[in-house]
Amino acid sequence: MIGKGEVTMFDSKVHVLDHPLLQHKLSRLRDENTGVKEFREIVSEIATLECYEATRDLPTQEVEIKTPVATGTFKVLAGKKLAIVPILRAGLGMVDGILTLIPSAKVGHIGLYRDPETLAPVEYYCKMPNDIAERDVIVLDPMLATGGSAVAAIHFMKNYGCKHIKLMNILAAPEGIKAVREAHPDVDIYVAAVDESLNDHGYIVPGLGDAGDRIFGTK
Ligand code: PRP
Ligand code: URA
């Protein structure tokens, strides 16, 4: 596994978020005995915690505020326009967790599934806010395995004119990190852990299984 902290390569960074709360929650996701209700709740909670880190660079501005005691100048968010873009299906599980912290973010959707034979991403849906090109974008997907889905989704966003894109995953394989870095060296990746490898079916090992199936109870 890749260790904690930040790894810089090209222009981008991989932020491996090793906070104990995140690691505990991720271990609950890994457990095959964790049921659909708890799995769904924890995916959302992890997204909230990751969002806290992924928005650390949001610009602020100073405003004057009168407290019950005195008047002072204090920081508020400068009102940067944000959008989150979940990759369907599993990325949907992260949306509410992000909106808890950024309720005014707009939400675009990209539908991709992995062809079970080739593992190549196949697009089946795309719907973006009209002003997506003006927004900073966080692409959401719990799993970064071969990286094919994330690389394709980020390409879509760049074709829409988006210039500032981050990728938020819960679990990654080294292969996926490498693929995203090579295709999109400008995109920072936020992830709670990087596991050892992929198996012959493109699943992350030890991983947590099929995130979409576990969030939606389809297996
Ligand atoms: C899973 C996962 C990612 C993708 C990761 O989706 O949610 O989107 O696989 O794999 P990759 O890095 O090799 O592209 P899946 O295709 O199983 O669709 P689903 O979310 O509808 O279950
Ligand atoms: N997609 C998943 O849901 N899980 C994996 O391990 C790999 C891809």
Side-chain angles (χ1 to χ4, degrees), residues 118-158:
T118 65
L119 302 181
V122 181
E123 184 199 352
Y124 62 90
Y125 186 76
C126 194
K127 182 78 179 171
M128 292 296 149
N130 287 340
D131 60 351
I132 190 71
E134 298 159 29
R135 293 181 174 265
D136 285 10
V137 168
I138 306 177
V139 173
L140 308 175
D141 195 326
M143 309 303 277
L144 180 63
T146 65
S149 304
V151 167
I154 295 165
H155 271 306
F156 282 137
M157 301 320 301
K158 288 185 174 174

Side-chain angles (χ1 to χ4, degrees), residues 47-120:
T48 304
L49 293 169
E50 290 195 355
C51 179
Y52 182 78
E53 283 300 326
T55 52
R56 190 171 275 285
D57 59 353
L58 279 180
T60 57
Q61 64 187 40
E62 306 255 325
V63 296
E64 193 174 275
I65 292 176
K66 187 172 179 299
T67 78
V69 180
T71 298
T73 304
F74 305 100
K75 290 184 200 306
V76 295
L77 288 173
K80 196 163 192 67
K81 290 175 152 190
L82 290 175
I84 54 175
V85 177
I87 301 178
L88 308 183
R89 292 175 299 167
L92 286 175
M94 301 173 77
V95 169
D96 284 351
I98 308 276
L99 294 179
T100 299
L101 290 188
I102 319 175
S104 60
K106 289 198 175 175
V107 184
H109 295 85
I110 296 180
L112 294 174
Y113 69 88
R114 291 199 311 176
D115 182 292
E117 300 298 323
T118 65
L119 302 181

